[in-house]
Structures are given as structure tokens and as C-alpha cells.
Amino acid sequence: MVELKNDKITVLVSETGAELQSIKDADGKEYLWQADPKFWPRHSPILFPIVCSVNNDTYYVDGQEYHLPRHGFARDTDFKLIAQSERKVTLALESSEETRKVYPYDFTLSVSYVLDDNRIGVIWHVHNTDTREIHFQIGGHPAFNVPDMKEGEDQHGRIRLDSQEPLDGLKSYIDGSHEMTEVPVEAEGGIIEFSDNTWRNDSVKIHRSQVRRAELLNKAGEAEVTVEFRTPVIAFWSPYGKQAPFVCIEPWYGLGDPRGFEGEFKDKPLMNHLQPGASFMSKYEIIIK
């Protein structure tokens, strides 16, 4: 476990999955979900090389069949600690014989966490070390404690978006699949009022870069946690039927297979492509109150 600390925030990061484990303020208040397996046994997994699922956990590269579990393998793989200071850490995952069995490309995935006042920068860097073009998706899945909610209560909370315009989401299903059909997002005045029933169709997915910021509000209407991003998709999720005391705010460069998709991996919606030697880099930020 790696610790980062300044006078506003203390962060813990695990080398397994390069996953955030804890975000505490100077008073010791915990903002990140603590992975109670009764609800969901993760904190903030990194989704790579896919976001969501490929149909039947199966996909094709040049006609050859491969298999990947939901959200890929990075979240369950040990990363190597590359660099660490008091306020920044970088961890990396390189392709190997094992990864090539399920994802037939050579790559390096680096993840950095950077503290700046009350902000945590999460930086993704994918480098193509292969001799051919590679294709991938990447996303974040941080889970935050719902403000003013105690375990055993019915879930209740609000997320404020940076747009008050009507928003379109993607039609989703409780099994995690979706269609590319657009449906209105229930966000009156830019605010999603969520309860357990919000997750009856799994997640709320807003695509086409319609929003750039999501704030998790307390009863007083103040932002306890803010997530800022530049991703084409932002998703919100909590496990349906559990009245879970957390909600995930998930910036994604990618989408799962639409229902019925049978094409090549490279042709999936929102796929990212890198030529040999090229790199992809992006960042999102978590800001605590």
C-alpha cells in the first residue's frame, strides 16, 4: 500500500490494480467506499482494456476468438511501483505472456495519482509497445460514500451536473448491457436525485461529452465530492436492490458491446486506437470538500 499526503488529503493506493483504497480529509473523514463485500467488494477499479463487457465475454481480433471478463483484467493484476514522492505515485503494468492470452497486444499502462491541495489527479497513460496498431478502452470506477446516509437506510442522494440542458443517455438493462438508443436522463435542473430505484436498469450512462463535472451533494446542497473529466461517457452506478450507501461516478473512454454486436474488437463503439510507438494520455480529478 502506498500513501500520499498533504495538509488537506491522505490517499492510499494499492499495487494490485493500481486502485485507490482511501481518501481522507485532514479530520480523518473517509470519502471513498470501503469495499464491504455485502454491497460491492471494490473501491475504485481501473477498467482496461475494455469498459463494461464484450458479449458473452467473447471478442474477435482478425477473426480469432478471445475472452475477457467484465471491465477487463487490469483491476485484478499487480502493477509495478515506478516512482513515488510524498504527493505523487506512478504504477505501471506491462503486457506479458499471461495478458496476451486474453488481449493479444503489447502495451504499457501507467497510472499516476497526484495531490494538489484538495484535488487528486488520476492520470492514465497507455503506450503501444507492439509492432502493429492496438485497440483499447479505459475508464475509472471510483465509488464514494453517499453523504448523510447511514447503513440500513433507504438510499437517497443527489448529483449535480454542470449542464441544465436536457441530456440524453443510453438505454441500459439490469444485466449491464445497453443499446445505442438514446433515452432522456432524469436530471431536472441538472440534478440527478437518485435512490435504489435509479439503478433498476443498471447504470445511468451519459455519452457524447454532454457534461464535464459531477458533484455529489450533501443535505445542505454543498458538494462533498466533485469529479471533473473530459471523457466522452460518464456513468453513474450503484448495485440495484441493495440500498447501498455508495454511488460510483465513472469517467469512461469506451462502452461495452451493444446488444447483438458481433463485429471485430477494433470496431466496437468508442474504441481507442494507437499506432506502434504512440501513446494515449488523459486525466480526471477528484475534489473533496
Side-chain angles (χ1 to χ4, degrees), residues 3-260:
E3 181 181 86
L4 301 177
K5 187 173 184 178
N6 63 19
D7 60 350
K8 298 285 183 67
I9 312 174
T10 299
V11 167
L12 294 178
V13 180
S14 171
E15 292 183 35
T16 300
E19 183 181 7
L20 274 172
Q21 302 286 297
S22 175
I23 303 172
K24 290 183 178 179
D25 65 16
D27 296 323
K29 178 178 178 178
E30 180 65 72
Y31 291 82
L32 199 66
W33 169 244
Q34 287 303 289
D36 183 343
K38 180 169 65 176
F39 297 99
W40 187 60
R42 299 181 186 269
H43 305 266
S44 180
I46 293 168
L47 317 182
F48 178 89
I50 57 171
V51 169
C52 295
S53 299
V54 288
N55 289 330
N56 300 313
D57 292 339
T58 301
Y59 71 100
Y60 298 91
V61 174
D62 297 329
Q64 185 169 342
E65 183 177 300
Y66 294 90
H67 301 277
L68 276 173
R70 185 173 177 83
H71 292 318
F73 55 76
R75 62 183 184 168
D76 296 315
T77 306
D78 288 340
F79 282 62
K80 181 179 180 181
L81 181 62
I82 299 299
Q84 181 184 358
S85 65
E86 189 176 52
R87 299 187 180 182
K88 180 179 179 180
V89 63
T90 300
L91 303 104
L93 170 65
E94 295 185 353
S95 53
S96 65
E97 183 178 347
E98 288 303 307
T99 66
R100 284 188 287 271
K101 291 177 183 176
V102 295
Y103 178 67
Y105 299 111
D106 287 327
F107 66 91
T108 300
L109 167 61
S110 301
V111 180
S112 297
Y113 296 97
V114 184
L115 300 191
D116 180 12
D117 195 51
N118 65 333
R119 292 174 172 259
I120 305 161
V122 184
I123 302 169
W124 300 318
H125 182 189
V126 182
H127 181 61
N128 181 357
T129 58
D130 211 315
T131 57
R132 57 176 172 166
E133 185 179 43
I134 71 171
H135 316 284
F136 70 95
Q137 298 177 328
I138 193 166
H141 202 312
F144 302 104
N145 297 322
V146 175
D148 307 309
M149 181 184 169
K150 297 178 181 178
E151 187 175 330
E153 294 181 343
D154 288 349
Q155 190 188 69
H156 57 276
R158 292 180 294 164
I159 295 171
R160 181 167 59 206
L161 307 175
D162 64 335
S163 173
Q164 297 188 25
E165 298 297 319
L167 299 169
D168 295 317
L170 293 173
K171 186 174 183 179
S172 298
Y173 298 87
I174 192 59
D175 63 1
S177 64
H178 72 276
E179 297 177 4
M180 296 306 291
T181 304
E182 292 186 339
V183 294
V185 174
E186 298 177 14
E188 185 173 351
I191 293 181
I192 297 174
E193 300 227 14
F194 64 87
S195 65
D196 188 72
N197 190 54
T198 303
W199 322 116
R200 63 194 181 276
N201 293 320
D202 190 60
S203 60
V204 176
K205 302 179 183 76
I206 302 174
H207 68 147
R208 295 193 287 104
S209 302
Q210 296 173 79
V211 294
R212 299 293 193 186
R213 186 176 66 251
E215 299 171 325
L216 183 58
L217 305 181
N218 59 24
K219 284 182 180 178
E222 303 165 326
E224 291 268 333
V225 176
T226 300
V227 180
E228 294 183 348
F229 45 88
R230 295 286 177 179
T231 54
V233 178
I234 186 72
F236 306 100
W237 175 82
S238 194
Y240 178 59
K242 294 189 176 183
Q243 303 290 355
F246 73 89
V247 65
C248 296
I249 302 176
E250 309 178 36
W252 293 350
Y253 284 94
L255 281 168
D257 283 355
R259 285 191 165 192

